[in-house]
Amino acid sequence: MKALSNFWRAMLAIVWKDLATEWRSRELISAMLVFALLVIFIFNFALELTPQTRNDVTSGVLWVTLTFAGTLGLNRSMAVEKDRGCLDGLLLAPVDRTAIYFGKTLANFIFMLLVAAIILPFYSVLYNTNLFVGGLLLVIVLGAWGYVSIGTLLASMAVQARTRDILLPILLFPVTVPLVVAAVKASSGYLKLLDQVEITPWLSLLIVFDLIFTAIAFLVFDSVVEE
Amino acid sequence: MNAKSKWLSVLDVVSIAGFVAAASMVFFYAPMERVMGLVQKVFYFHVATAWIGMLSFFVAMVAGIIYLATHRTRPDAMKWDIVAVAGVEIGLVFTLICIVTGSIWARPIWNSWWTWDPRLTTVTIMELAYAAYLMLRAGIEEPERRARFGAVYSIIAFISVPLTFFSIRIWRTIHPVVIGGSDPSASGAFDMTPRMLQTFFTSLVAFSFLYGSLLWHRIRMGQLAAKVEQLKLRLSE
């Protein structure tokens, strides 16, 4: 029981540390936001988002924006730990290493949801549609968790490599493509008001990927950070 | 220790003989498929290479797991890293052959080199994931860390293998399921005659021997490379 409460305390301390540093500098979230808006603007001209085509591509545009912005955040969140030896300090702390992993993941998860919380109303205003559909919000939560759970693990590997700036997307995208596909299909199902029967398979696939990614990361994170 | 094993030479001969036997069965023994004609013969090697690709990635994952489980306690755990790299490299080559032969078949049958079908998409994702594995390794100099990260990524990338395998059984697809059940929406499916079945199994066995031989050669090469590395270090001291 005591071990569990120690685990929670360590995890929440790391989340708190990440949120506090972010609150003071606002580096990461502003970069992610500006980047996300730029991606939406590029899509606007690349795809000619007329009202007819918009319905078909909205969920795709949304997820590409979120995942690209998410990659930016993941890379940064691990790079700041590596830069001045903060990661070594974290690893020296007498806490369970998986608490460090879940702390970092939870912080990244919050950043990604924050970005989503800002681009959703923005997109709704720009294109005069309503994206605040209950189902879509659920899909974003599930998709973002899967993405950051494996992304945090891969980012902690990528920052330790020589080619760290280019490595994360190359490692992350092939693994997360199935998750993103499921998220896009489920989101567009909710936006097009399809029957729940047609959306459920994609939703279950999302949940399965969330579980697999979290379980694998939980099992192997120790080997990634050991020195 | 590094002399070529006698059994490896035997295996080489067996795999060459098996390959010749399988190829001649494909061309002279197996009957011509009535609808698709000559191009259907790609099927025998297409499925065999797909099987070897997935088997090879499985070998890499198992080697990765063993490496992670033993590298703290055993000094010779590095040999499992050599096995994992061998598995990934051979798997990449065979999966590529599988994609290319599939394309050759698809051109006349589906009237296109490529479609964004679930099977074709998942197999490409698998190939890209393992290409990323090699890029990850190329970015790390320290051998112990490279082995550790490689092992972790070989486990993560393996998620794409069952996904590829079951993709034609889960989703509606135009990729034929020749073995075990046929989907009416698939285009280009057919039933195998006994002669086709015999040819098919011969090529599976022949490719398995070929795989064993290649894997052994690649592991041996990895061991020799490690030895060269050690000798170089000793020289520079």
Side-chain angles (χ1 to χ4, degrees):
Chain A
M1 204 54 217
K2 191 156 176 292
L4 198 65
S5 83
N6 275 344
F7 182 92
W8 280 108
R9 265 220 312 265
M11 192 180 95
L12 291 178
I14 288 169
V15 175
W16 180 246
K17 166 192 83 70
D18 273 12
L19 292 182
T21 35
E22 185 51 39
W23 177 248
R24 281 168 203 161
S25 68
R26 298 184 194 88
E27 262 175 359
L28 183 59
I29 206 83
S30 51
M32 281 168 88
L33 265 180
V34 172
F35 182 77
L37 294 179
L38 286 172
V39 172
I40 292 180
F41 269 79
I42 291 171
F43 267 123
N44 179 55
F45 296 108
L47 294 178
E48 297 283 341
L49 292 179
T50 54
Q52 293 82 33
T53 53
R54 214 178 287 157
N55 286 336
D56 298 325
V57 296
T58 295
S59 63
V61 170
L62 219 73
W63 275 102
V64 170
T65 310
L66 269 180
T67 48
F68 281 11
T71 316
L72 220 61
L74 287 168
N75 230 343
R76 181 81 194 141
S77 96
M78 273 332 221
V80 291
E81 299 288 359
K82 191 72 190 164
D83 270 351
R84 292 189 194 125
C86 301
L87 192 61
D88 300 327
L90 272 183
L91 295 176
L92 281 175
V95 293
D96 196 343
R97 295 255 164 102
T98 45
I100 299 175
Y101 164 74
F102 279 112
K104 289 304 282 185
T105 309
L106 203 59
N108 287 330
F109 182 59
I110 293 171
F111 290 145
M112 208 161 157
L113 289 188
L114 271 176
V115 172
I118 300 174
I119 61 169
L120 277 189
F122 204 81
Y123 195 96
S124 303
V125 171
L126 279 183
Y127 294 106
N128 198 20
T129 51
N130 181 20
L131 291 182
F132 285 89
V133 185
L136 181 66
L137 301 182
L138 174 72
V139 173
I140 287 179
V141 168
L142 288 176
W145 177 262
Y147 194 75
V148 297
S149 65
I150 201 75
T152 306
L153 177 77
L154 291 176
S156 52
M157 284 191 349
V159 291
Q160 298 183 56
R162 183 168 44 84
T163 46
R164 66 183 198 180
D165 296 325
I166 50 168
L167 202 54
L168 180 65
I170 291 170
L171 294 179
L172 184 58
F173 288 162
V175 180
T176 49
V177 162
L179 175 98
V180 174
V181 169
V184 169
K185 295 280 186 191
S187 313
S188 83
Y190 280 117
L191 288 177
K192 287 180 189 162
L193 308 172
L194 295 183
D195 273 348
Q196 187 63 36
V197 189
E198 289 183 54
I199 305 173
T200 307
W202 296 110
L203 219 50
S204 346
L205 196 66
L206 264 181
I207 295 169
V208 167
F209 271 114
D210 280 4
L211 291 176
I212 294 177
F213 285 165
T214 311
I216 290 184
F218 174 75
L219 288 172
V220 300
F221 184 73
D222 233 11
S223 330
V224 169
V225 292
E226 80 178 32
E227 283 305 324
Chain B
M1 166 216 167
N2 287 319
K4 188 178 170 188
S5 160
K6 197 173 68 192
W7 291 109
L8 181 54
S9 306
V10 173
L11 190 59
D12 287 348
V13 174
V14 170
S15 32
I16 292 170
F19 197 81
V20 171
S24 32
M25 271 180 93
V26 166
F27 285 109
F28 305 116
Y29 182 75
M32 193 75 86
E33 212 271 333
R34 196 175 291 159
V35 187
M36 290 184 271
L38 199 61
V39 76
Q40 177 269 337
K41 290 184 186 291
V42 141
F43 156 81
Y44 304 107
F45 284 7
H46 175 69
V47 180
T49 48
W51 145 249
I52 296 302
M54 290 186 187
L55 175 73
S56 197
F57 292 144
F58 180 72
V59 167
M61 180 198 63
V62 172
I65 291 175
I66 299 177
Y67 177 82
L68 284 185
T70 58
H71 74 286
R72 263 171 252 189
T73 49
R74 297 176 62 110
D76 64 340
M78 213 48 153
K79 66 182 178 196
W80 293 108
D81 181 53
I82 296 174
V83 177
V85 184
V88 169
E89 282 186 1
I90 300 174
L92 269 172
V93 172
F94 276 86
T95 307
L96 189 65
I97 297 174
C98 172
I99 294 173
V100 170
T101 50
S103 252
I104 293 170
W105 177 85
R107 179 72 187 118
I109 303 301
W110 295 342
N111 200 23
S112 134
W113 295 107
W114 187 261
T115 69
W116 290 103
D117 178 74
R119 172 47 81 77
L120 278 63
T121 311
T122 48
V123 82
T124 312
I125 293 168
M126 180 172 93
E127 183 85 350
L128 286 174
Y130 283 98
Y133 171 91
L134 292 184
M135 299 185 76
L136 170 68
R137 293 186 69 99
I140 308 168
E141 271 105 26
E142 198 188 324
E144 190 271 340
R145 178 180 288 171
R146 183 169 59 211
R148 204 146 41 80
F149 286 10
V152 167
Y153 199 70
S154 70
I155 297 169
I156 297 172
F158 190 77
I159 302 168
S160 60
V161 176
L163 195 73
T164 306
F165 184 80
F166 289 112
S167 59
I168 50 173
R169 289 160 178 90
I170 302 172
W171 287 296
R172 210 179 309 132
T173 155
I174 65 168
H175 188 287
V177 187
V178 178
I179 297 110
S182 57
D183 185 342
S185 63
S187 121
F190 60 98
D191 288 320
M192 280 195 278
T193 66
R195 279 186 159 209
M196 284 178 170
L197 211 60
Q198 289 154 11
T199 313
F200 173 64
F201 279 113
T202 311
S203 49
L204 271 192
V205 172
F207 269 84
S208 303
F209 274 111
L210 180 68
Y211 173 62
S213 160
L214 284 176
L215 186 66
W216 195 336
H217 276 292
R218 181 64 184 83
I219 291 171
R220 204 170 148 257
M221 202 176 105
Q223 288 166 343
L224 289 173
K227 200 170 182 191
V228 168
E229 201 75 6
Q230 281 173 357
L231 288 176
K232 266 190 196 160
L233 277 178
R234 205 179 299 165
L235 269 181
S236 62
E237 268 167 13

